[in-house]
Amino acid sequence: MVRWGIIGLGRIADSEIAPAISASPQGVLHGVVSRDQGRADAFAQRHGAERALASFDDLLTDPAVDAVYIATPNALHADQVVAAARAGKQVLCDKPLALSVADARRAIAACEEAGVKLGITFQTRFHDNFSRFRELIQDGSLGEIRVVQVEMSSGRTLLKGWRTDPALAGLGTINNIGVHAFDLIRYLLGTEVTEVTALTGHEEGLAPETLALVLLRYGTDVLAYVNVNQSVAYPQADITVYGTKGRVVGRSCTRMNMSGTLAIVSEAGETTLETASYDAYKSAVMAFEQAITAGREPSPSGLDGLRSVELTTAIAESLSEGRTMAVTASLR
Ligand SMILES: NC(=O)c1ccc[n+]([C@@H]2O[C@H](COP(=O)([O-])OP(=O)(O)OC[C@H]3O[C@@H](n4cnc5c(N)ncnc54)[C@H](OP(=O)(O)O)[C@@H]3O)[C@@H](O)[C@H]2O)c1
């Protein structure tokens, strides 16, 4: 059994992760922390948590808590991971792990020193479609992979609250949604990104970007194009991986909890499969619980979180310098 604490009682904790913990056969929500006692009380009551707290320290000193889920604004993640690790708690941190490579590395080091696991909620990996994508890529059915094209968008849902403040959010839609696309491509290809260049679009009155077109190179041979945005209505949620022998297309599946279809197009023609609907967040919570009870490295791991921060740092540099940047993977 994994007894959870949550800090950051906003939308994702309320609508996805607390219900996912309750639905998991291995999970129990034990304590929740808000800056406001009334919000903690209401949240605890809604989700059946035993303790409602207004202090993170009180959660961390509670021996009944095995694991902490962090869902606060992005800038707070790294310090909260470090504090949770030092208190001996397993840590599932929502993306992004940090706003700088140094902070991401610090968070990983604290978890390693404390001997606790660090997972990141890149839950898109858990879609059934993507295990099939990986098989097709790895078994050579598509030939040599050359291009990946992804569109990921929440529709016209402009940034608000702390997400409009670069000090708390870092980047805009890139940290909000884009990091899922980058993690997904890396997961599918099993290769690190080596180069990146990006252009962004902005809405009047909003500092962070709401639209980004990002070109990436994975390894030496694979190019990727990512359209991530919160600007347009009725976006597509499609991904295509093109190889020298054919392509695989996932339609209506790049956003959370979509079922969608998968089509394989090759010399043999086109085969389309319906794919099962899934609960992305429940899959992510359960995978983390299984990793900590089995004592193995979670997937996605803290290292996956660091890789993402290395990439978003290079994207920010590309935007400020107006050129293509090399991306270097640190720590292995
Ligand atoms: N994996 C995913 O698909 C996914 C989806 C959405 C969000 N996320 C990530 O989850 C985190 C939370 O996102 P969210 O959409 O749940 O945000 P949200 O609704 O704004 O909730 C964030 C919560 O953090 C707490 N908080 C602590 N310090 C704060 C501050 N200075 N300003 C504002 N809130 C503060 C607040 O809870 P109290 O007032 O109760 O303390 C707030 O409700 C973000 O890092 C985001 O990137 C991930």
Side-chain angles (χ1 to χ4, degrees):
M1 194 52 73
V2 177
R3 289 159 303 173
W4 286 89
I6 298 182
I7 180 161
L9 307 184
R11 193 191 66 77
I12 194 70
D14 198 22
S15 63
E16 302 291 352
I17 301 292
I21 291 170
S22 302
S24 161
Q26 267 192 290
V28 174
L29 183 57
H30 175 78
V32 297
V33 183
S34 169
R35 294 167 301 172
D36 177 272
Q37 185 65 50
R39 266 201 302 279
D41 291 339
F43 191 102
Q45 196 174 30
R46 226 168 21 255
H47 296 286
E50 203 169 296
R51 298 195 71 197
L53 303 164
S55 148
F56 192 30
D57 281 348
D58 288 348
L59 185 78
L60 296 183
T61 51
D62 184 340
V65 174
D66 303 310
V68 171
Y69 165 65
I70 295 170
T72 50
N74 304 342
L76 309 182
H77 292 179
D79 283 348
Q80 290 172 341
V81 171
V82 171
R86 288 187 180 152
K89 308 302 183 193
Q90 315 288 342
V91 193
L92 179 62
C93 180
D94 219 313
K95 38 57 57 174
L97 171 56
L99 294 186
S100 72
V101 172
D103 276 354
R105 292 181 66 151
R106 193 163 57 82
I108 289 175
C111 292
E112 281 175 0
E113 275 159 30
V116 299
K117 306 291 182 202
L118 173 59
I120 309 293
T121 40
F122 285 133
Q123 72 283 348
T124 316
R125 289 183 178 200
F126 295 96
H127 195 299
D128 275 355
N129 252 1
F130 299 130
S131 43
R132 188 77 187 103
F133 264 64
R134 250 161 79 103
E135 282 164 19
L136 291 164
I137 291 166
Q138 283 164 12
D139 71 11
S141 306
L142 304 175
E144 301 284 326
I145 305 304
R146 291 285 188 257
V147 178
V148 181
Q149 186 174 315
V150 180
E151 181 170 341
M152 225 183 242
S153 167
S154 52
R156 194 167 164 77
T157 53
L158 296 185
L159 302 163
K160 52 185 193 222
W162 61 266
R163 286 185 168 89
T164 64
D165 178 358
L168 284 172
L171 293 166
T173 197
I174 290 171
N175 267 345
N176 213 20
I177 298 178
V179 291
H180 288 295
F182 309 137
D183 178 73
L184 178 62
I185 299 170
R186 184 174 160 265
Y187 171 72
L188 294 177
L189 299 176
T191 318
E192 300 298 349
V193 64
T194 51
E195 277 183 281
V196 68
T197 188
L199 293 174
T200 50
H202 294 256
E203 299 282 337
E204 209 178 324
L206 276 180
E209 81 290 347
T210 53
L211 162 66
L213 299 184
V214 186
L215 288 176
L216 309 108
R217 183 187 300 278
Y218 286 79
T220 50
D221 296 332
V222 187
L223 300 182
Y225 159 91
V226 174
N227 167 352
V228 55
N229 81 77
Q230 297 180 233
S231 278
V232 304
Y234 305 106
Q236 299 189 94
D238 297 352
I239 172 169
T240 305
V241 178
Y242 297 83
T244 52
K245 290 191 194 162
R247 69 179 192 271
V248 56
V249 187
R251 294 197 180 94
S252 301
C253 66
T254 61
R255 287 291 292 156
M256 274 21 95
N257 301 335
M258 295 175 115
S259 43
T261 61
L262 178 149
I264 303 159
V265 186
S266 68
E267 203 177 17
E270 175 162 340
T271 315
T272 301
L273 312 166
E274 296 292 324
T275 47
S277 67
Y278 78 126
D279 184 330
Y281 296 96
K282 186 175 162 200
S283 302
V285 164
M286 287 176 60
F288 184 73
E289 290 171 345
Q290 283 155 14
I292 60 178
T293 49
R296 59 164 193 266
E297 190 59 7
S299 170
S301 65
L303 196 62
D304 296 321
L306 169 65
R307 292 287 172 271
S308 181
V309 177
E310 286 164 347
L311 174 55
T312 51
T313 302
I315 291 173
E317 287 166 2
S318 165
L319 291 170
S320 80
E321 295 188 22
R323 63 185 178 93
T324 301
M325 305 304 298
V327 186
T328 312
S330 65
L331 300 178
R332 303 249 163 213

